[in-house]
Amino acid sequence: MTGAAPVPRSMVIDHIGTLVSNAPELGTGELGELPGAALVVEDGRVAWAGPRERAPGADTRVDAGGRCVIPGFVDSHSHIVFAGDRSREFASRMSGQPYEAGGIRATVAATRAATDGALLDTATRLLREARAQGTTTLEIKSGYGLSVRDEERCLRVAGRLSEEVTFLGGHLVPPEYAADPDGYVELVTGPMLRACAPHARWVDVFCERGAFGEEASRRILTAGQRHGLRARVHGNQLGEGPGVRLAVELGAASVDHCSYLGPDDIDALAQSARGGAGPATVATLLPGVDFCTRQRYPDARALLDAGATVALASDCNPGSCYSSSMAFCVALAVRELGMTPEEALWAATAGGARALRRDDVGHLGVGARADLTLLDAPNPLYLAYRPGVPQVAAVYKDGDLVSGTP
Ligand code: NIG
Ligand code: FE
């Protein structure tokens, strides 16, 4: 059979009550909100968006029935490759135990003992769970293997599920290196990095008291950069520290947590957003973690007022926040972080895309990937207005229905 060129498949989503495009030219405000809209998808990309009465024809039609369409959530921070259960740790925290970085060790032991198949099953289940809640891009980190073999296989598993894969050998010094933390940094920046770099796009480090200090963090990040990985940082989660400054200094795409910031940290993030040396180092806030660890919430208002770029992410992991719900993050950001509902939704979509240095996701402007969510709600305020209520009707990725029914 001689194959004709494939006919582009087009689909119009019509009768959208409110379209949130994050493309200001399409509507009002930063969200580019447009009432009474339609959106045309062709070959997995947004081909047209605008007032429904002007919509061009398409091969198929989906009736949004006056409901709201938003860009798929871009969750730029997760640790879903793991084994084991830490529900008891959570319960004891709720009765007064503090959250400590060392809890990670329990997950490391279970992850090392798990087969690749078991790790993939859990991660796949969590990816589907996230997708069903409107997440269409999910970054996935290693960091529970902490040996050359186990970090590499965790990254291979992550790479089966996402293109946004992060090497986090610098998550914690594993027990066998307790007496020789420098030796562990040597391992991470040497043989482990050589084995892992081909399977990752990003390098990350947990720069925090009890994990890695400033010098070790710098060594890990710059070694990763020399191997072609781009930097992102866990910083300022449990107290003030060098994480934010280091992230900005090294041109990291994002510094995540940011619960404890001094004025200099806020200035550095704001200045990086003003354009100085390149794209912004995004302040990625993880309010689900602060909720689940009873830690102080970050001050998103101060960051936004200073001009920093803010993202929201789930940090889905078995220890500090076992939730994949970006809608929950949006609700917390509005209730606890001082963000408006519009700022929170932008941060969970376009902000996440900035944190991953992606311009093809996080918005629904013409040419973007058709990654979008149809909400059982007339407008996006409902995400924060109805906390804990499932409102995702259908999720499309690259124009394909991947969850729910429209
Ligand atoms: O982002 N901060 C470091 N890593 C995770 C927690 C991991 C764990 O407790 O297992 C976080 O919160
Ligand atoms: Fe994390």
Side-chain angles (χ1 to χ4, degrees), residues 66-90:
R67 291 171 294 173
C68 175
V69 167
I70 62 172
F73 292 125
V74 179
D75 186 352
S76 60
H77 187 142
S78 88
H79 308 247
I80 61 167
V81 182
F82 69 88
D85 178 299
R86 283 161 65 192
S87 50
R88 284 193 184 80
E89 178 191 313
F90 172 78

Side-chain angles (χ1 to χ4, degrees), residues 61-128:
R61 179 176 180 276
V62 169
D63 188 346
R67 291 171 294 173
C68 175
V69 167
I70 62 172
F73 292 125
V74 179
D75 186 352
S76 60
H77 187 142
S78 88
H79 308 247
I80 61 167
V81 182
F82 69 88
D85 178 299
R86 283 161 65 192
S87 50
R88 284 193 184 80
E89 178 191 313
F90 172 78
S92 67
R93 214 159 52 225
M94 292 304 106
S95 44
Q97 289 300 309
Y99 175 73
E100 282 163 354
I104 295 168
R105 287 191 194 102
T107 304
V108 170
T111 302
R112 287 175 174 179
T115 63
D116 292 6
L119 295 174
L120 181 62
D121 283 353
T122 299
T124 304
R125 177 175 59 74
L126 290 168
L127 178 85
R128 288 205 187 113

